[in-house]
Amino acid sequence: MRSTRHLEYDIRRARLLAAREYVSGTICWRGILSGHWDAGSVVQKHIPHSS
């Protein structure tokens, strides 16, 4: 698996939090960490949105 150090802190943190909370058998954590779910609600709900 590739390193995520090149990503912004918020995106990297959101991916890790989403992968940590996934339910086994629903979404593969490798897909979350590789960025396949960045545009979806799986990762987006962990990204802080400034108002």
Side-chain angles (χ1 to χ4, degrees):
M1 179 153 306
R2 296 170 83 196
S3 172
T4 59
R5 294 286 180 188
H6 65 283
L7 297 173
E8 292 181 32
Y9 173 77
D10 289 339
I11 293 174
R12 189 171 69 227
R13 182 178 180 276
R15 284 184 186 179
L16 292 172
L17 288 172
R20 192 174 179 192
E21 102 175 359
Y22 92 101
V23 177
S24 181
T26 56
I27 300 170
C28 179
W29 61 268
R30 285 185 187 205
I32 294 171
L33 295 178
S34 66
H36 286 88
W37 290 89
D38 283 358
S41 61
V42 174
V43 173
Q44 287 294 319
K45 70 180 177 180
H46 294 290
I47 296 177
H49 298 285
S50 58
S51 302

